[in-house]
Amino acid sequence: MRKNSEIIAQHSALLQGRAMTPILYLSLTIVMVIAGATAQAQQPKKMTRIGVLSWLSRPSPTVLAFREGLRELGWVEGKQIECEYRYAGGDLKKLSEFATEFVRLKTDVIVAGPDNAPTHAAKRVSTTTPIVMVGVVEPINDGLVASLARPGGNVTGLTWEATREQAGKNLELLKEAVPNISRVAILRNPNVSSQIRYSSEAERVAKMLGVTIQFAEMQARDDKDLKKALAGIVAQRANALLVTPYTFFVVRREQIIDFSARHKLPAIYFANVFPNDGGLMSYAPSGQDIWRRAAWYVDKVLKGTKPADLPVEQPKKFELIVNLKTAKQIGLIIPANVLARADKVIR
């Protein structure tokens, strides 16, 4: 196929030295319009770029749910969009570096989560790039949005909202699954206000269940403090464990799950990634459902809706997951009534 420039040049040459009649003029005009349109069609279309800024250390099933959600809305990676994934592994410095990189790459929208730290990192480097936060806790108190109904600024998305009701429900389920427990250790960071409220509700419900609460506390996001907190659980001779919502615990879940298995300690967690990776059980918002919903926010933003005009959503779907492999490993028989209520049983 001849190049457009060659076609135009040949037509121009034919007209040289000849009077520009209306027919010749119209002919050249049509050729130039067609050539210009063809050239424009041949231009590679700019792909929409989405940056996924994760607090985790590697991909999880929630990422697949997000990608599926995008495809269902007509956004296919490699066709209409390209996604850049960055995993900070609990490192605040990396979060900041990745957020800066996304702004430099002129990313059309940044998807940040889970936890509040990725959204803060993205918000610090840009007040104009749309940010869809995923799985954050208390976004108003933490200064991420002005309100749930009217978030304002360039941030919107979905909360994780580990409510007080969830804390009590988790303890009740743990007691149902293992009726003979009497001393439950709560793993938490007392410097995080949401964890204080969460564990306070667990304490209230514990009195009704006749269970004693013990605290295993860490003051900072580091392995040394976590190791010390876990050692305290053994020292206090707790016979069950409740883990509070904290993304650092997700990042270090293998360490916590291994500790529980070694000490044959029944544990209930705040996220389904724990039983999926070998923890005993969890009752929590569906991470897949939240991330799939995040795709809806991305779709709205890419189609022109401002984040400030998209209300922040709270979790709508909760799941009970039980890992029978782990139960067998630590010598437990989970009652049939608990298994009957489970959304997922890992055998």
Side-chain angles (χ1 to χ4, degrees):
M1 184 179 290
R2 290 181 299 170
K3 294 181 179 178
N4 297 324
S5 58
E6 293 176 356
I7 296 173
I8 294 172
Q10 288 181 10
H11 278 74
S12 298
L14 289 173
L15 296 174
Q16 286 181 1
R18 300 168 66 178
M20 183 68 76
T21 66
I23 293 176
L24 288 174
Y25 178 82
L26 179 62
S27 173
L28 181 59
T29 300
I30 291 172
V31 169
M32 293 180 70
V33 169
I34 293 173
T38 303
Q40 186 175 14
Q42 292 173 348
Q43 291 281 334
K45 188 177 179 181
K46 178 183 178 294
M47 278 230 248
T48 298
R49 178 171 283 170
I50 300 171
V52 179
L53 182 61
S54 177
W55 191 223
L56 305 181
S57 55
R58 62 178 184 272
S60 71
T62 56
V63 172
L64 295 178
F66 174 65
R67 295 168 75 175
E68 289 171 1
L70 287 174
R71 281 197 297 271
E72 290 169 1
L73 293 166
W75 300 98
V76 180
E77 288 187 57
K79 291 187 177 181
Q80 297 89 353
I81 59 170
E82 57 181 3
C83 293
E84 300 282 350
Y85 299 92
R86 299 291 184 273
Y87 298 92
D91 189 322
L92 289 170
K93 183 179 179 182
K94 284 185 179 180
L95 273 183
S96 180
E97 291 172 354
F98 291 150
T100 302
E101 179 187 5
F102 282 155
V103 173
R104 179 176 56 79
L105 292 173
K106 297 182 179 179
T107 303
D108 295 285
V109 58
I110 296 174
V111 180
D115 196 46
N116 300 31
T119 303
H120 276 300
K123 192 177 180 182
R124 276 194 296 270
V125 297
S126 178
T127 57
T128 56
T129 303
I131 299 168
V132 175
M133 58 185 181
V134 188
V136 302
V137 178
E138 298 187 334
I140 301 172
N141 291 342
D142 206 25
L144 293 175
V145 295
S147 73
L148 298 185
R150 297 181 177 277
N154 61 322
V155 179
T156 188
L158 301 107
T159 72
W160 183 264
E161 290 310 341
T163 63
R164 294 190 174 195
E165 291 75 18
Q166 185 190 342
K169 186 70 173 179
N170 277 11
L171 191 58
E172 289 174 358
L173 286 167
L174 185 58
K175 180 69 172 174
E176 277 190 70
V178 194
N180 63 347
I181 61 173
S182 58
R183 297 183 304 279
V184 178
I186 294 183
L187 182 62
R188 69 176 187 179
N189 183 335
N191 298 317
V192 179
S193 60
S194 60
Q195 291 188 47
I196 295 297
R197 284 188 286 275
Y198 187 88
S199 53
S200 294
E201 176 63 12
E203 284 185 284
R204 187 187 70 79
V205 174
K207 292 178 182 178
M208 296 164 47
L209 298 174
V211 171
T212 300
I213 293 295
Q214 302 167 339
F215 292 109
E217 298 183 333
M218 53 182 297
Q219 302 293 328
R221 292 177 185 255
D222 62 55
D223 292 326
K224 183 179 178 181
D225 252 25
L226 177 58
K227 186 176 180 180
K228 184 178 178 181
L230 294 177
I233 295 172
V234 177
Q236 294 181 81
R237 304 183 68 179
N239 53 21
L241 172 64
L242 186 152
V243 180
T244 58
Y246 193 32
T247 307
F248 181 80
F249 295 152
V250 176
V251 175
R252 296 294 185 269
R253 63 186 179 277
E254 291 177 5
Q255 186 177 343
I256 297 170
I257 291 169
D258 179 66
F259 166 83
S260 299
R262 280 189 289 109
H263 294 279
K264 298 188 181 300
L265 197 66
I268 189 163
Y269 303 93
F270 61 91
N272 57 24
V273 68
F274 285 88
N276 287 335
D277 283 355
L280 178 64
M281 59 192 297
S282 68
Y283 175 72
S286 168
Q288 283 87 344
D289 187 66
I290 290 175
W291 277 86
R292 186 184 296 275
R293 185 62 178 168
W296 179 87
Y297 277 87
V298 170
D299 175 69
K300 289 294 184 183
V301 167
L302 294 180
K303 289 178 178 176
T305 305
K306 295 179 181 179
D309 297 330
L310 290 171
V312 175
E313 289 187 3
Q314 295 175 296
K316 296 177 180 177
K317 182 180 179 181
F318 283 70
E319 295 177 328
L320 170 61
I321 300 179
V322 180
N323 190 321
L324 284 184
K325 291 181 181 178
T326 301
K328 183 178 180 180
Q329 182 184 0
I330 64 176
L332 289 179
I333 297 177
I334 304 297
N337 66 312
V338 175
L339 295 178
R341 289 156 56 194
D343 298 279
K344 178 181 177 181
V345 177
I346 301 171
R347 301 180 186 276

